Amino acid sequence: QSALTQPPSASGSPGQSVTISCAGTSSDVGGYNFVSWFQHHPGKAPKLMIYEVTKRPSGVPDRFSGSKSGNTASLTVSGLQAEDEAVYYCSSYTNTYTDTVVFGGGTWLTVL
Amino acid sequence: EEQLVESGGGLVQPGGSLRLSCAASGFTFNDYWMHWVRQVPGKGLVWVSRIRGDGNDANYADSVKGRFTISRDNANNMLYLQMNSLRTEDTAVFYCAKDLILGSGSLGTWGQGTLVTVSS
């Protein structure tokens, strides 16, 4: 199972918006609406921020939004805050040979 | 409050075995797919395995297929990962996670992780 492709880093100033991409194939991101985004602060448990491409779990600020176009999904963080600095991972359901889940390599978001 | 607590990590020699456990609470355990995800220190998250709520369907990443076995005890709200023929590249923090939706990978609840070190 090949990992989804994310940029290694992204950055923005407080109050700005930043978008992180997640490139897959028609067998994962493009084929299913089961794309998730996770926020991971080192040493802590990962946190689900977006699921089913666009949905936010209860308690996640609406500054976080998800979208998808073709084989690429995106996470947009608006109104950047210092606490948003973390590693962000995308994931997708995939059924290339069997039912599995694949993650992206992660994007370190720096709030300048 | 939903909670997952992993245990069972530690130091093991290459070729050895280890069984990880994950104690679940705060939700109806047998209603949900459960997953194991690992992270090599300093690297990214990698999906390992998932198991259906009734325990009758499971899937694995190619890298662990034939060596790892996922299982669950719904009577006691426990998830397990039996790891055999361990390799140095299996060294990682292992997380258990609860799926929101039908095993799709929408992992809404995570444990804090347990560290497995494979070294001679």
Side-chain angles (χ1 to χ4, degrees):
Chain A
Q1 298 103 343
S2 299
L4 306 176
T5 300
Q6 297 181 236
S9 63
S11 63
S13 299
Q16 288 186 332
S17 294
V18 64
T19 297
I20 299 170
S21 62
C22 171
T25 70
S26 58
S27 296
D28 39 63
V29 173
Y32 305 94
N33 287 323
F34 288 125
V35 175
S36 298
W37 289 91
F38 302 90
Q39 179 189 67
H40 194 196
H41 289 106
K44 295 194 172 184
K47 177 183 179 182
L48 180 66
M49 305 302 284
I50 297 288
Y51 67 101
E52 286 188 333
V53 181
T54 61
K55 298 178 180 178
R56 273 188 313 276
S58 174
V60 172
D62 60 6
R63 302 185 294 105
F64 292 84
S65 62
S67 63
K68 187 180 83 168
S69 177
N71 296 336
T72 299
S74 298
L75 172 72
T76 297
V77 186
S78 305
L80 273 174
Q81 298 181 5
E83 59 263 33
D84 298 334
E85 185 162 295
V87 182
Y88 290 84
Y89 295 93
C90 63
S91 77
S92 176
Y93 170 84
T94 177
N95 189 19
T96 304
Y97 302 108
T98 184
D99 298 342
T100 61
V101 175
V102 62
F103 280 92
T107 298
W108 179 261
L109 174 60
T110 301
V111 181
L112 302 169
Chain B
E1 179 193 0
E2 297 184 357
Q3 190 172 19
L4 298 171
V5 179
E6 302 94 337
S7 60
L11 175 64
V12 61
Q13 291 189 337
S17 298
L18 208 58
R19 189 177 84 154
L20 305 183
S21 300
C22 171
S25 60
F27 61 97
T28 305
F29 184 65
N30 60 7
D31 280 350
Y32 295 93
W33 286 81
M34 297 293 295
H35 300 245
W36 287 99
V37 176
R38 66 182 176 182
Q39 183 178 33
V40 173
K43 302 293 185 181
L45 299 174
V46 176
W47 180 82
V48 173
S49 181
R50 69 172 194 168
I51 186 168
R52 199 169 66 189
D54 61 8
N56 290 331
D57 189 17
N59 305 101
Y60 300 89
D62 287 345
S63 59
V64 306
K65 203 172 294 183
R67 300 189 299 124
F68 290 10
T69 302
I70 191 171
S71 63
R72 62 195 297 160
D73 176 356
N74 285 342
N76 292 296
N77 293 347
M78 295 293 296
L79 175 72
Y80 301 103
L81 187 68
Q82 177 67 43
M83 304 185 296
N84 299 330
S85 303
L86 282 162
R87 307 166 180 167
T88 54
E89 56 264 35
D90 293 318
T91 293
V93 175
F94 282 74
Y95 297 97
C96 66
K98 165 185 167 283
D99 206 311
L100 288 180
I101 303 164
L102 299 175
S104 64
S106 305
L107 306 180
T109 304
W110 295 66
Q112 289 294 323
T114 187
L115 177 62
V116 171
T117 303
V118 185
S119 174
S120 55

